[in-house]
Amino acid sequence: MTVQAAPAVRPGLPRAGLTLGAAVLLVVPLLLGGYPLYLATEALCWAMAAAALDLLVGYLGLTPLGHIAMWGLGGYTAALLTRAGVPLALVLPAAALVATLYSALTAPLALRAGGIFFLMITLAFAQMMQALAEKWSAVTGGTDGLTFKSGLPDWGLYLTVLGALALTLFLLTRLTRSPFGRVLEAIRQNETRARALGYPVFAYKYGAVLIASAFIGLAGALGAYHRGIVTPTDLFWLQSAVLLIMVLLGGARSLWGPVIGAVLYTLLQALVSSHTDLWAGLVGLLLIALVLSGSGGLWALFARRRKA
């Protein structure tokens, strides 16, 4: 028997719009350089992590609050290996692997707990990793963190991040449209029914967590390269909440939605926070408006307007 799950929201972009968006992302930051290029690179790093998190939040229905641990571990792995002379081509897969191994060890307990306990256990593990980063100063540099350089020019790092984001979206899109993705959707809709049909629900959840962790770890490594430093703040739980807000702002279960949410959040933070400390309140009001309108995020709102 097969699971007949309702398809996730996958509104497509018009080809002309997709081409224009790709051209803007590729050309404009490179032409402007300086701070706009820095801001664009920052936004794309977060967009990559947000898209990966959406695999859990949107397609599987799991809400973690400790996923920033994978981001931070990816950053520390990048820092330590780069300072040891390891080339970028080897550092990035190593960062993804370390983040995956972390989840391979911690996810079973959180998944078996389930519900609100899943959220709290993932948060607890992330807090432990932050404390370890602060105390193990001989390796992590303590509260001062670790500084390092990618060896790439700014434009080269930007293109690397852009390419990594494109690859992430391509692979996650293929995954969510595969039989594996359809089973995740069925688990989200009715876990009991999926289990009754003979699907190993725990194995599918575990696999989804490991996949998301790998991409978040990779994004964390690129984010650390971009900033040139990694500190225990990169493991702070509030960063998990920020990443979750990006997903909800753009719209879960769409992959492109979290990308839009991450870009918008980063731009709002940069542009509005320089004028007022209430910028976070603006994001909160926008989220409230989206929830009350029942739009399911900016991407879903855009899709409905296209069909109207």
Side-chain angles (χ1 to χ4, degrees), residues 17 41 179 222 251 273:
T41 306
L222 290 169
S273 63

Side-chain angles (χ1 to χ4, degrees), residues 73-150:
L73 285 171
Y76 273 106
T77 301
L80 291 169
L81 293 182
T82 301
R83 288 163 65 102
V86 179
L88 177 66
L90 297 178
V91 169
L92 295 181
L97 178 61
V98 169
T100 304
L101 291 175
Y102 164 81
S103 288
L105 295 173
T106 60
L109 178 60
L111 287 173
R112 292 194 185 282
I116 187 66
F117 300 105
F118 175 82
L119 183 150
M120 297 306 297
I121 290 174
T122 57
L123 172 61
F125 277 123
Q127 290 293 92
M128 290 170 58
M129 295 307 299
Q130 183 190 8
L132 180 63
E134 290 179 349
K135 301 300 182 182
W136 200 9
S137 57
V139 174
T140 65
T143 56
D144 292 331
L146 298 173
T147 57
F148 65 109
K149 294 182 179 179
S150 67

Side-chain angles (χ1 to χ4, degrees), residues 29 34-50 71 154 157-158 161-162 165 219-220 222-229 234 239 242-243 246 259 262-263 265-267 269-270:
Y35 183 64
L37 181 60
Y38 177 91
L39 194 61
T41 306
E42 178 83 4
L44 295 188
C45 288
W46 284 110
M48 183 177 171
W71 170 282
D154 292 341
L157 182 59
Y158 173 76
V161 173
L162 183 60
L165 174 61
L222 290 169
Y225 272 125
H226 164 57
R227 298 169 184 167
I229 186 172
D234 292 308
Q239 299 285 60
V242 168
L243 193 53
M246 291 175 180
V259 172
V263 172
Y265 186 95
T266 305
L267 291 177
Q269 183 182 33

Side-chain angles (χ1 to χ4, degrees), residues 43-60 67 71 164-173 175-176 208 211-216 219 242-248 250-263:
L44 295 188
C45 288
W46 284 110
M48 183 177 171
L53 180 62
D54 190 37
L55 182 65
L56 303 182
V57 176
Y59 291 88
L60 187 54
H67 41 275
W71 170 282
L165 174 61
L167 179 62
T168 298
L169 291 173
F170 172 76
L171 293 177
L172 289 179
T173 298
L175 180 69
T176 56
I211 292 169
S213 298
F215 285 111
I216 295 174
V242 168
L243 193 53
L244 188 59
I245 287 173
M246 291 175 180
V247 174
L248 299 177
R253 303 179 61 228
S254 61
L255 293 183
W256 278 103
V259 172
I260 293 175
V263 172

Side-chain angles (χ1 to χ4, degrees), residues 20-37:
L20 177 62
V24 169
L25 283 175
L26 182 62
V27 175
V28 173
L30 295 175
L31 289 177
L32 294 177
Y35 183 64
L37 181 60

